[in-house]
Amino acid sequence: FGMDIGGTLVKLVYFEPTDIPPNSSSDESEVLYQIRHYLKRSSSYGRTGIRDIHLQMDNCCINGRVGTLHFIRFPTSEMPVFINLAKSKGIASLSSTVCATGGGAFKFEKDFQREVDLQLHKFDELDSLIHGIHYIEAYNTHECYYFRHARDPELAEKTAFDFSQPYPFLVVNIGSGVSVLAVYSPDSYKRISGSSLGGGTFLGLCSLLTGCETFEEAIELAAAGDSTKVDKSVREIYGGDYSKFSLSGDIVASSFGNMSCSEKRAQASKADLAKATLVTITNNIGSIAKMCAMAEGVERVVFVGNFLRVNEISLKLLAYAMDFWSDGALKALFLEHEGYFGAVGCLLEMMKTS
């Protein structure tokens, strides 16, 4: 197992060896059978655990072993349930160590040791992220994509991108918060910026403003909303475009700017508030990414993280922002496995050292 224990979500990658002889009767094969049977009989576990079947990768080779990568996620708040599951399925009998990254690798370390007698072998979060991106992108030829016609949301079309010669590039990792990394080679990178306003901010504000409980619910609500009822546009300030600086009248001048007016507050629905929250967070991330790319002289900006899962609104907003504000000089790139790269990276490190 490789685990990325974030502030909001746990991302779990399970490497299922498929090179065990069919007649093997070892303790390892018995436990693996139990785990495989449990994982494959369903795509959901309990109320909140989800296996992303569409992301499954077969015939992967890691440290000389051939197998399948399974991708599972659940809220960090459900960690006690997962620990009990690990105990009941005999995972601890396979190994005395589980590799983990993210802040939760420190937070839950004692719980793993006390409940299932497992040591957490901790790996650096950003090292794991970069290694995971390189591994999956090399194995999955359709991993990387961008949006053609990014400036027209109606025509924007998801298109495969050749990422075989990527350097240098930026990675914008959008989890609970945001980290921006400049990557120069497989083993050379640096963290150049970040923000506390990320996916956790979006969900937290949406929960306060609309009463929604989950990320999926918040995104679904936002998809039905109209952020222009909440935000103040350039037109509402200038009466039209601000042509001197090529600012269209439709561009947001002040996020949530209309909510100071009681009449407009009464007209804004929960869906409108959710959409405005999503646009606000996404625009802020796009602005930071653009400034970092220009400062580093980088043309390719790769956006990853679970904030982008089931979130086509933000995908297209980021694609538009990179293209428009750089006048076509910057390209926004996205990866199919979104938030799982940290978990894959620490699994690779664990397999390498075991």
Side-chain angles (χ1 to χ4, degrees), residues 145 147 308 311-320 334 338:
Y145 65 93
F147 284 94
L308 300 175
N311 185 3
E312 190 172 281
I313 295 171
S314 290
L315 290 172
K316 290 185 176 180
L317 272 176
L318 290 169
Y320 173 91
F334 307 96
E338 292 155 351

Side-chain angles (χ1 to χ4, degrees), residues 49-286:
I50 299 293
R51 177 164 58 101
D52 287 314
I53 298 175
H54 66 288
L55 296 179
Q56 178 177 314
M57 293 172 60
D58 300 315
N59 298 316
C60 294
C61 182
I62 301 179
N63 198 33
R65 297 295 298 267
V66 177
T68 298
L69 285 177
H70 300 277
F71 299 87
I72 300 161
R73 54 184 160 84
F74 59 90
T76 306
S77 58
E78 297 293 315
M79 181 58 80
V81 177
F82 173 77
I83 291 175
N84 285 331
L85 178 66
K87 184 189 299 185
S88 68
K89 297 299 174 185
I91 292 174
S93 67
L94 284 180
S95 174
S96 60
T97 306
V98 169
C99 52
T101 189
F106 296 88
K107 181 178 180 180
F108 295 103
E109 184 174 19
K110 291 182 179 178
D111 296 323
F112 273 87
Q113 189 170 3
R114 182 181 63 251
E115 297 296 330
V116 284
D117 196 26
L118 278 174
Q119 300 291 327
L120 283 188
H121 193 161
K122 300 181 290 295
F123 293 101
D124 181 79
E125 184 173 355
L126 299 182
D127 283 348
S128 298
L129 171 69
I130 298 301
H131 292 156
I133 288 174
H134 282 114
Y135 178 83
I136 290 187
E137 202 286 323
Y139 252 90
N140 185 12
T141 56
H142 302 294
E143 182 68 26
C144 189
Y145 65 93
Y146 72 104
F147 284 94
R148 283 199 300 170
H149 313 300
R151 296 196 197 184
D152 188 337
E154 297 298 321
L155 296 177
E157 181 182 6
K158 184 176 175 180
T159 306
F161 182 82
D162 181 2
F163 202 62
S164 58
Q165 296 181 326
Y167 307 106
F169 64 94
L170 288 192
V171 173
V172 182
N173 187 32
I174 315 171
S176 296
V178 181
S179 284
V180 183
L181 314 176
V183 184
Y184 306 104
S185 75
D187 298 308
S188 176
Y189 77 89
K190 64 180 179 180
R191 186 181 188 276
I192 57 174
S193 189
S195 174
S196 62
L197 307 182
T201 315
F202 164 65
L203 181 55
L205 288 176
C206 262
S207 298
L208 282 172
L209 293 170
T210 71
C212 65
E213 295 289 341
T214 66
F215 180 77
E216 289 80 4
E217 187 182 348
I219 290 294
E220 186 176 351
L221 198 59
D226 181 359
S227 58
T228 63
K229 294 181 180 178
V230 177
D231 299 331
K232 183 166 286 187
S233 67
V234 168
R235 179 176 292 105
E236 289 173 281
I237 297 175
Y238 280 86
D241 299 342
Y242 190 0
S243 55
K244 180 178 179 179
F245 294 105
S246 301
L247 294 176
S248 162
D250 296 327
I251 288 176
V252 177
S254 175
S255 297
F256 281 79
N258 281 332
M259 293 299 92
S260 60
C261 172
S262 59
E263 182 180 343
K264 293 194 173 183
R265 282 200 302 274
Q267 294 173 354
S269 67
K270 288 185 176 182
D272 298 334
L273 293 170
K275 178 68 172 289
T277 304
L278 185 60
V279 170
T280 297
I281 298 299
T282 304
N283 280 347
N284 185 62
I285 294 169

